[in-house]
Amino acid sequence: MKSRRESNARFRLVLTLGLAVVLPALTLIIVNFQHVKSIQRDKKVEALIHRDFQYLLTIAAKKMASKAYGMTEEARDAFPSVNDSDDEKRRKLEQIVQKNPWFTHVFFYDAKKGLVLQPQHDLMTEKDVEESSKGYSVWFSLEGQYLCAQLNRKPKPIMWMPSESQKPNGLVYTTTAIFSFPGADRDRPVLGGVSFDGVYLKEKFFPKLLEELTSQSFTNNPEQVYEQGFHELMPHEAIEHPDQKLAMMVYPAEAEPERPVAMSAGWGSGKPEVTYKLDDPFRGLALGIKFQGTTAQAISRRWVWQSFMILGVLSVLMIGGLVLTYRSVNKQVALARLKSDFVSNVSHELRTPLALIRLYAETLELGRITTQEKKNEYYSIIRKESERLSALINNILDFSRIEAGAKEYDFRETDIAELVCNTLDSYRYQIEQQGFALEEHIDPGIPAVKVDREAIARALVNLVNNALKYSDNEKFLGVRLYREQSMLKLEVSDRGIGIERNEQSRIFDKFYRTCDPLVHNTKGSGLGLSLVRHITRAHGGDVEVESTPGRGSKFTLSLPLAT
Ligand code: ADP
């Protein structure tokens, strides 16, 4: 009946835990697990990073173009007009070249007056100048009008002519801007042009821009990042790589990225993760981007691994929490059972001596007992039963005081040998009557110790009572008092039913009673040993048990001599 109620309570607990905690937590963990797996399977982290890279490259390309356009437009504003004299034109062009050392040459073409080409002298030989001038003159005389018409149709009247040339220090990429002038006569083609120095592009223009673009960490300077439109870079919540530095390179679009035109610091080795083909003014070139020292794949792998770890730790924590809750509730259920057992045991314990006392007192009262011997026997039964009753009530009172934290001990210098003798004396008759052989051994010369007389006597009585109650085969009771170094030992041993090993530590818990059938049939409250332990600990000592089932038990109280 009892165990059915308990297992019902346990079942209800498991059900509640399952429905309220495990199910939602498990669902959450499984859903997250699936989610992380799908991210891993579909390479979503890589895709997001690549999308961000693509975006960054678009911005980089725009920045490069707008810088080149800006430089060109600034130069165009200083260009001569058709009405200027030849000297004036030359002077103005010379000024432009001086102010802009990154142009290898600039030129001005007027269909009526021909071409004026101003070289950067240290960048062009006489021969180069001659060849270029000839080339432009022929070209513009043939197609000048057509070019002007084309340019005027564009939102920005500038066209670009990229070219590559092999120089002693490697392949050099350059670009030339050809532009028309607003408000020029339709039938008189007038064109201007500036040609960028390839070495300048390779060594200054591209490296500076790449450095600028890659030095911004995604989160270092949010305002600047925002201005430049980088705010879109890392919009996704879960995947962040703000500390990852970027590296970029510019390389000829047709060639492999092994032959870069320029690259930012920290490129190291390896291929770009995402590439972007540049349009005017740098048509023919491409941009590549990657992380410094890592790859999107590695970042993704780390993220997935971290997510799995977190889920794993969460699962372990959940299981741990469950086990702890289950155990603690189990304990509570067991304690509740022990308490209800205690109530029924105590009521029995109270009822039996009371009934006996009443019965014998009534019999005496009726005056039916004639012999003095019989009368004495009845008196003794009444005395013994009332002693049992007060021992039980004392235990319960002590216990409730301990539970309320109000138990106080009265420590006094005590001759403990005499205390043990006296206590045993008052039980000697009962012990012998029950057929027990009492073996008493008290070492001489035990010094006086400061103890609470009543409490120590109660501990001893509890141990003696237990020995009497739990011995059904060999009726033996041994009591020893001796000194061991700085400790005083009080041993109570029996050759009774003994205690199973796994129960030995629990018998000192309040209300705990072992499962032995003899224990079940013997009345008890399960409080005695918990009191014994409390009393000895209050004296700075402890209680231990040694026991073999079927062979008997030995309880040893250890009390420090100097308290
Ligand atoms: P009670 O004797 O009232 O049940 P105790 O706290 O004194 O309570 O003892 C707790 C339990 O320990 C007992 O129910 C019994 O199962 C076990 N026990 C105590 N003393 C002995 C002993 N000497 N021999 C065998 N079992 C014992």
Side-chain angles (χ1 to χ4, degrees), residues 8 23 25 58 65 73-74 105 110 143 167 177 250 254 276 459 494 529:
N8 263 349
L23 212 62
T58 317
E73 277 165 352
E74 200 187 315
H105 61 267
D110 178 354
E143 292 185 20
K167 289 276 160 76
V250 177
E254 298 312 325
Y276 183 93
D494 62 60
L529 287 182

Side-chain angles (χ1 to χ4, degrees), residues 293-498:
T294 184
T295 61
Q297 200 188 12
I299 288 178
S300 158
R301 235 183 283 133
R302 201 174 58 213
W303 181 84
V304 168
W305 186 81
Q306 273 173 354
S307 306
F308 280 141
M309 279 293 285
I310 291 170
L311 286 178
V313 170
L314 274 180
S315 312
V316 169
L317 282 180
M318 192 188 74
I319 293 168
L322 264 181
V323 171
L324 281 183
T325 320
Y326 184 75
R327 279 175 63 168
S328 115
V329 175
N330 244 351
K331 242 185 175 170
Q332 295 303 323
V333 171
L335 195 66
R337 176 172 59 79
L338 290 176
K339 272 186 182 167
S340 79
D341 286 357
F342 165 76
V343 173
S344 82
N345 284 340
V346 165
S347 8
H348 267 284
E349 284 253 299
L350 289 173
R351 214 181 302 141
T352 323
L354 274 177
L356 284 174
I357 291 170
R358 199 166 145 195
L359 176 73
Y360 287 101
E362 277 174 5
T363 318
L364 285 170
E365 215 174 34
L366 286 175
R368 290 210 192 123
I369 311 297
T370 45
T371 62
Q372 191 55 37
E373 205 182 316
K374 208 71 184 154
K375 274 186 189 164
N376 284 348
E377 190 192 328
Y378 280 24
Y379 289 138
S380 135
I381 289 173
I382 290 175
R383 183 182 54 81
K384 266 196 301 189
E385 288 305 314
S386 48
E387 268 172 14
R388 231 177 93 189
L389 209 55
S390 41
L392 174 68
I393 289 168
N394 279 338
N395 269 359
I396 295 171
L397 283 179
D398 261 7
F399 173 74
S400 72
R401 272 190 217 116
I402 288 169
E403 284 289 280
K407 173 75 186 156
E408 280 179 13
Y409 291 94
D410 181 16
F411 297 102
R412 278 163 203 242
E413 204 82 4
T414 309
D415 180 351
I416 202 148
E418 180 233 37
L419 173 68
V420 170
C421 263
N422 284 349
T423 315
L424 283 179
D425 277 346
S426 51
Y427 273 82
R428 201 176 301 273
Y429 177 70
Q430 188 188 339
I431 293 166
E432 280 161 9
Q433 271 247 312
Q434 288 189 26
F436 274 81
L438 173 62
E439 199 176 286
E440 201 179 332
H441 179 90
I442 295 175
D443 269 2
I446 302 264
V449 269
K450 266 195 159 177
V451 293
D452 182 317
R453 261 188 94 83
E454 212 182 306
I456 294 293
R458 189 159 303 145
L460 178 59
V461 168
N462 267 304
L463 293 179
V464 168
N465 265 334
N466 281 349
L468 302 183
K469 281 199 293 189
Y470 305 121
S471 298
D472 57 350
N473 35 2
E474 193 179 338
K475 300 198 169 194
F476 167 84
L477 173 68
V479 178
R480 273 185 76 200
L481 180 71
Y482 60 96
R483 183 182 174 163
E484 198 178 86
Q485 286 152 359
S486 61
M487 299 301 265
L488 194 61
K489 303 269 182 175
L490 176 58
E491 257 178 39
V492 178
S493 51
D494 62 60
R495 293 177 190 158
I497 58 171

Side-chain angles (χ1 to χ4, degrees), residues 129-171:
V129 174
E130 212 174 292
E131 273 178 12
S132 299
S133 304
K134 215 166 138 195
Y136 287 130
S137 297
V138 173
W139 181 27
F140 295 150
S141 62
L142 288 174
E143 292 185 20
Q145 196 146 10
Y146 171 73
L147 282 178
C148 274
Q150 289 278 325
L151 281 169
N152 290 338
R153 244 179 268 140
K154 292 173 87 170
K156 278 189 179 177
I158 302 178
M159 61 176 270
W160 298 88
M161 290 194 344
S163 70
E164 267 182 2
S165 55
Q166 198 63 44
K167 289 276 160 76
N169 52 350
L171 190 78

Side-chain angles (χ1 to χ4, degrees), residues 466-467 469-470 494 497-499 507 512-514 519 524-530 553 555:
N466 281 349
K469 281 199 293 189
Y470 305 121
D494 62 60
I497 58 171
I499 304 154
I507 52 172
Y512 189 81
R513 308 196 77 210
T514 61
V519 175
S525 57
L527 290 183
L529 287 182
S530 92
S553 319
F555 287 86

